């Protein structure tokens, strides 16, 4: 029995560790979608953040500077996305597809140009173990704890502050919000940039939070699973946490079973989070009504 | 009206030049002469008959993934799953290519149909999830892409594995299922197949009842509901054709190129199809020159890789950049029309 508890704790611990990028991406998607901007391109932005975090960490010899560089670069892309969505009134789905395709190759190119074929090892944020009871068992690092803390912060921001109210008003009906004197463009720019910062931390976690190295694009669906998590959880940050943890555990099950020496093909186990994501969307569709912003994906032009 | 038509044709070309200009600036930053690089890419794509054959062979694949994206986008179905559907098609053509089933005369046809069918089946999952459970297709197609890569890896490591090969690859496809080549060159008949299908898809969209339904669904889904369009059937048929075309692209890659299934069968050729469709404005016939452009960029880019040390990821970056820049197309058109009136 002791062994079973050890395995279960291990499963939860690695599940929580794997869920961090999905969690950050889900919170980002929530903030962005509430203002009416669809942000499916974060799958690509995660890769750019993961890559620039390694570059920054090696360049400045500091993990925090790596995180900083990832955040700055992501904010730049946030500006671009907001510009396309707000000013150019681009199709937000097509724009997202473009960014998804841009991310992986651009990140590889940046790594190639700045670090070449040298051994790329940046190191990573080690686990915080001096928290009583949980620290030693879960072995999560500072970025992971930051992610969990962001859940109530984002909830408070969206539902309890004046800014959050404005943001949601813009996503619900930009025309009415405009009439109330809210600057729709500014609110959308700010929400997309906040989302980009969250994505940056989630992306950086994949490299300087987990592996400490870049061996090709580490993003494998975290950004797009986050879009699913937000829909399934009806745009509620607390449900985003639940969804992200579920998918994190689904990713961890594969590793746990392999550690137990079970002879199941690794590819089948690796596809578990994708299947769980699709299945839970399908299963939840029957008893779920659209609670999302009404003007999602629509550009607003002043008459 | 004539002026508008001219604008419609030139707006994507202008935006394409913007994308190439941005890429050129990046080259300048890395101390490369963009004109030199672009010249080398052009020569690498069209400079010799061997290179031209390769460019046309790849164009055949990209026309198919481009048509796959175009027909779905036309119906407002955001199929981003061309890559996964392509892999399924490659699996299908391989499975039916490694044994001739006692009918060598029809073996090639059988293997091609299998490619189409496997891709179509993967596309139908998307349609089913969308119709029955309202699963957003952008999400389902990308997740299915990841599942398709893993499935390919699984099959290559188990049932399809060639025990005599060093690297993971499938058993070889029998010669009776190879795409024939034009005498003395490496050019396969894949390009002819693709051109015929481009005309066929154009005809379906422009002249058939299904095409009419696709266009209504694409222009206004609400109106489609009121007009009594059987949208469930339309979505199902569209995804069947869309997935099948990408599947066929995978089949051509195996039957006309590698003759075995490998995990690296596609260099994002499915994703590039989205770029083809975007550049062509979702028009089936314009997909042909658009596919030729991306094919030249990829084949020429592989040459530039060795000559200038440009990594392939840079070529992929340019392709994505083209898609991003093209989202400004409607905006550009509106601005110019406003300014000129």
């Amino acid at each position: 029995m002791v062994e079973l508890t050890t395995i279960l704790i291990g499963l939860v611990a690695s599940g929580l560790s794997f869920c961090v990028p999905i969690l950050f991406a889900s919170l980002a998607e929530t903030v962005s979608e509430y203002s009416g901007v669809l942000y499916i391109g974060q799958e690509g932005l995660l890769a750019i953040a993961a890559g620039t975090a390694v570059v920054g960490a090696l360049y400045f010899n500091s993990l925090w500077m790596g995180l900083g560089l990832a955040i700055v670069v992501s904010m730049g892309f946030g500006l671009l996305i907001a510009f396309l969505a707000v000013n150019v009134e681009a199709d937000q789905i097509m724009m997202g597809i473009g960014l998804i395709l841009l991310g992986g190759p651009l990140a590889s190119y940046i790594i190639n140009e700045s670090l070449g074929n040298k051994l790329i090892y940046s190191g990573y944020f080690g686990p915080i173990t001096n928290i009583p009871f949980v620290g030693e068992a879960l072995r999560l690092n500072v970025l992971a704890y930051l992610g969990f803390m962001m859940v109530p912060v984002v909830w408070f921001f969206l539902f309890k502050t004046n800014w959050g109210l404005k943001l949601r008003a813009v996503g619900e009906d930009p025309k009415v919000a405009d009439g109330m004197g809210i600057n729709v463009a500014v609110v959308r720019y700010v929400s997309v940039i906040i989302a980009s910062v969250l994505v940056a931390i989630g992306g950086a976690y994949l490299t300087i939070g987990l592996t400490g190295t870049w061996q090709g694009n580490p993003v494998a669906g975290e950004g797009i699973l986050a879009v699913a998590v937000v829909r399934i959880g009806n745009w509620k940050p607390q449900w985003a946490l639940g969804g992200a943890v579920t998918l994190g555990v689904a990713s961890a099950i594969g590793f746990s079973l392999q550690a137990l020496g079970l002879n199941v093909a690794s590819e089948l186990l690796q596809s578990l989070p994708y299947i769980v994501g699709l299945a839970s969307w399908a299963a939840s569709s029957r008893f779920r009504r659209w609670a999302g912003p009404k003007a999602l994906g629509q550009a607003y032009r002043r008459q | 009206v004539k002026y508008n038509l001219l604008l419609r044709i030139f707006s994507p070309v202008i935006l394409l030049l913007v994308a190439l200009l941005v890429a050129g600036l990046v080259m300048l930053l890395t101390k490369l002469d963009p004109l030199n690089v672009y010249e080398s890419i052009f020569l690498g794509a069209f400079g010799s008959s061997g290179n031209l054959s390769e460019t046309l062979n790849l164009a055949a694949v990209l026309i198919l993934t481009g048509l796959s994206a175009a027909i779905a986008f036309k119906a407002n179905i955001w199929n981003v799953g061309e890559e996964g559907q392509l892999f399924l098609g490659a699996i299908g053509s391989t499975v039916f290519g490694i044994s001739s089933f006692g009918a060598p005369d029809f073996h090639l046809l059988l293997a091609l149909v299998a490619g189409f069918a496997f891709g179509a089946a993967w596309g139908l999952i998307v349609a089913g999830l969308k119709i029955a459970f309202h699963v957003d297709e952008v999400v389902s197609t990308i997740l299915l892409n990841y599942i398709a890569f893993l499935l390919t890896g699984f099959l290559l490591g188990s049932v399809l594995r060639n025990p005599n090969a060093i690297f993971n690859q499938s058993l070889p496809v029998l010669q009776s299922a190879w795409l024939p080549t034009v005498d003395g060159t490496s050019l396969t008949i894949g390009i002819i197949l693709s051109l015929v299908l481009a005309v066929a898809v154009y005809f379906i969209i422009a002249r058939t009842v299904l095409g009419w339904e696709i266009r209504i669904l694409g222009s206004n889904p609400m109106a489609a509901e009121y007009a009594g369009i059987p949208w469930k059937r339309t979505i199902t048929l569209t995804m069947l054709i869309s997935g099948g075309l990408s599947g066929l692209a995978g089949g051509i890659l195996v039957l006309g190129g590698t003759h075995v299934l490998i995990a690296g069968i596609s260099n994002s050729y499915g994703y590039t199809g989205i770029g083809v469709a975007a550049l062509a404005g979702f028009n089936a016939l314009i997909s042909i020159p658009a596919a030729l452009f991306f094919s030249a960029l990829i084949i020429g880019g592989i040459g530039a890789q060795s000559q200038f040390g440009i990594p392939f990821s840079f070529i992929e970056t340019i392709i994505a950049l083209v898609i991003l820049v093209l989202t400004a197309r409607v905006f550009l058109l509106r601005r110019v029309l406003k300014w000129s009136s």
Side-chain angles (χ1 to χ4, degrees):
Chain A
M1 282 316 283
V2 174
E3 202 172 326
L4 189 66
T5 26
T6 324
I7 291 166
L8 277 179
I9 289 175
L11 189 66
V12 172
S14 40
L16 288 175
S17 168
F18 285 139
C19 88
V20 174
I22 304 175
L23 178 62
F24 273 110
S26 305
L27 294 174
E29 190 71 34
T30 306
V31 172
S32 173
E33 287 197 6
Y34 262 123
S35 78
V37 181
L38 197 59
Y39 200 159
I40 52 175
Q42 50 171 323
E43 175 90 357
L45 198 55
L46 282 171
I48 294 170
T52 45
V54 173
V55 174
L58 281 172
Y59 227 82
F60 301 107
N61 204 15
S62 148
L63 292 174
W64 288 106
M65 289 303 286
L67 182 66
L69 185 69
I71 289 175
V72 169
V73 172
S74 288
M75 286 171 85
F77 275 93
L79 271 177
L80 175 73
I81 292 161
F83 174 72
L84 285 174
V86 174
N87 301 92
V88 178
E89 297 171 30
D91 185 299
Q92 293 179 12
I93 295 177
M94 209 61 195
M95 176 181 96
I97 294 171
L99 194 64
I100 291 172
L101 300 188
L102 185 75
L106 182 61
S108 299
Y109 180 67
I110 291 171
I111 292 275
N112 195 73
E113 287 303 315
S114 53
L115 302 172
N117 296 322
K118 280 181 292 190
L119 183 68
I120 299 164
Y121 184 76
S122 60
Y124 54 90
F125 287 103
I128 299 174
T129 50
N130 55 7
I131 305 172
F133 304 112
V134 283
E136 191 58 50
L138 297 180
R139 301 186 66 79
L140 297 170
N141 65 22
V142 55
L143 296 183
Y145 286 114
L146 184 65
F148 300 129
M149 283 192 294
M150 275 297 150
V151 177
V153 170
V154 167
W155 175 84
F156 187 82
F157 169 72
L158 283 174
F159 299 105
K160 298 290 159 191
T161 66
N162 200 15
W163 251 99
L165 185 66
K166 281 184 183 177
L167 196 147
R168 287 183 295 132
V170 164
E172 198 64 23
D173 193 333
K175 202 170 174 187
V176 170
D178 193 9
M180 282 161 55
I182 300 171
N183 191 329
V184 175
V186 168
V187 168
R188 287 192 168 164
Y189 263 87
V190 170
S191 95
V192 169
I193 287 170
I194 293 173
S196 306
V197 172
L198 291 169
V199 172
I201 308 173
Y205 180 84
L206 284 167
T207 47
I208 60 172
L210 273 182
T211 58
T213 178
W214 175 276
Q215 296 166 315
N217 186 0
V219 182
E222 286 86 349
I224 210 73
L225 282 171
V227 177
V229 162
V230 172
R231 298 291 167 90
I232 296 168
N234 261 342
W235 290 267
K236 299 280 181 287
Q238 61 273 33
W239 283 108
L241 176 65
V245 171
T246 307
L247 292 172
V249 171
S251 318
I253 283 175
F255 286 90
S256 300
L257 285 183
Q258 276 179 318
L260 283 175
L262 247 71
N263 193 18
V264 187
S266 65
E267 289 93 351
L268 298 183
L269 294 173
Q270 282 170 38
S271 61
L272 209 53
Y274 312 124
I275 294 167
V276 169
L278 285 174
S280 36
W281 185 319
S284 69
S285 73
R286 297 275 161 185
F287 38 88
R288 186 161 52 83
R289 280 188 316 143
W290 176 275
K294 290 210 177 60
L296 182 59
Q298 294 163 13
Y300 173 67
R301 197 183 325 155
R302 241 182 163 164
Q303 299 302 320
Chain B
V1 176
K2 231 177 193 169
Y3 181 65
N4 280 1
L5 190 71
L6 220 64
L7 256 176
R8 258 172 222 291
I9 295 167
F10 279 107
S11 64
V13 176
I14 292 167
L15 290 170
L16 189 64
L17 289 176
V18 170
L20 292 181
L21 205 71
V22 173
L25 286 176
V26 175
M27 287 182 218
L28 279 179
L29 282 176
T30 57
K31 298 181 183 67
L32 284 167
D33 182 356
L35 288 178
N36 263 337
V37 175
Y38 284 134
E39 189 193 0
S40 151
I41 288 177
F42 184 82
L43 290 177
F46 302 110
S48 74
S49 67
N51 296 7
L52 185 63
S53 299
E54 271 191 71
T55 304
L56 290 176
N57 281 340
L58 182 57
V61 173
L62 297 182
I63 288 171
L64 291 175
T65 53
L67 292 172
S68 167
I71 193 169
F73 292 175
K74 199 86 186 169
N76 232 345
I77 305 169
W78 297 98
N79 176 15
V80 197
E82 288 80 9
E83 194 74 15
Q85 290 145 17
L86 180 151
F87 268 89
L88 260 287
I91 292 171
S93 288
T94 307
V95 168
F96 282 81
I98 53 186
S99 162
S100 74
F101 302 95
D105 293 346
F106 299 103
H107 193 196
L108 173 62
L109 186 66
L110 184 72
L112 285 172
V113 170
F116 186 94
F118 274 53
W122 210 241
L124 284 178
I125 298 177
V126 178
L129 285 170
K130 186 177 170 68
I131 292 167
F133 304 110
H134 310 290
V135 180
D136 191 289
E137 68 274 17
V138 178
V139 172
S140 66
T141 48
I142 294 178
L143 295 184
L144 282 165
N145 284 346
Y146 285 112
I147 297 174
F149 304 146
L150 291 166
L151 180 65
T152 308
F154 169 69
L155 292 174
L156 286 177
S158 55
V159 283
L160 288 179
R161 187 171 167 242
N162 181 353
N164 299 322
I166 305 165
F167 299 104
N168 264 8
Q169 62 177 50
S170 73
L171 296 160
V173 170
L174 298 181
Q175 207 159 354
S176 53
W178 289 13
L179 272 185
T181 51
V182 177
D183 281 341
T185 66
S186 56
L187 180 66
T188 70
I189 60 160
I191 185 74
I192 297 167
L193 188 65
S194 292
L195 292 176
V196 170
L197 284 169
V199 176
V201 170
Y202 181 82
F203 180 80
I204 289 174
I205 292 175
R207 289 288 144 84
T208 65
V209 176
L210 175 65
W212 179 73
E213 290 168 2
I214 286 175
R215 279 179 285 137
I216 301 269
L217 205 61
S219 59
N220 192 341
M222 287 300 205
E225 184 96 54
Y226 285 120
I229 304 268
W231 59 273
K232 289 182 183 175
R233 198 189 64 184
T234 311
I235 290 175
T236 308
L237 284 175
T238 307
M239 277 313 297
L240 184 136
I241 297 173
S242 176
L245 289 167
S246 281
L248 199 56
I252 285 183
L253 280 169
V254 171
L255 305 173
T258 54
H259 302 132
V260 292
L261 180 64
I262 47 172
I265 188 94
S266 166
N267 261 327
S268 304
Y269 301 145
Y271 288 127
T272 308
I274 298 166
V276 171
L279 183 56
F282 311 161
N283 180 306
L285 291 180
I286 303 177
S287 296
I288 298 167
L292 196 63
F293 166 77
F294 282 111
S295 169
L297 192 61
I298 291 171
I299 297 293
I302 292 170
Q305 203 173 346
S306 48
Q307 194 181 343
F308 297 98
I310 298 174
F312 190 73
S313 56
F314 187 63
I315 304 296
E316 288 180 301
T317 305
I318 298 179
I319 293 169
L321 204 59
V322 170
I323 298 176
L324 263 183
V325 171
L326 278 167
T327 58
R329 178 185 181 149
V330 178
F331 174 80
L332 183 75
L333 268 174
R334 202 173 51 229
R335 271 297 158 92
V336 174
L337 287 176
K338 202 172 164 188
W339 170 77
S340 63
S341 63

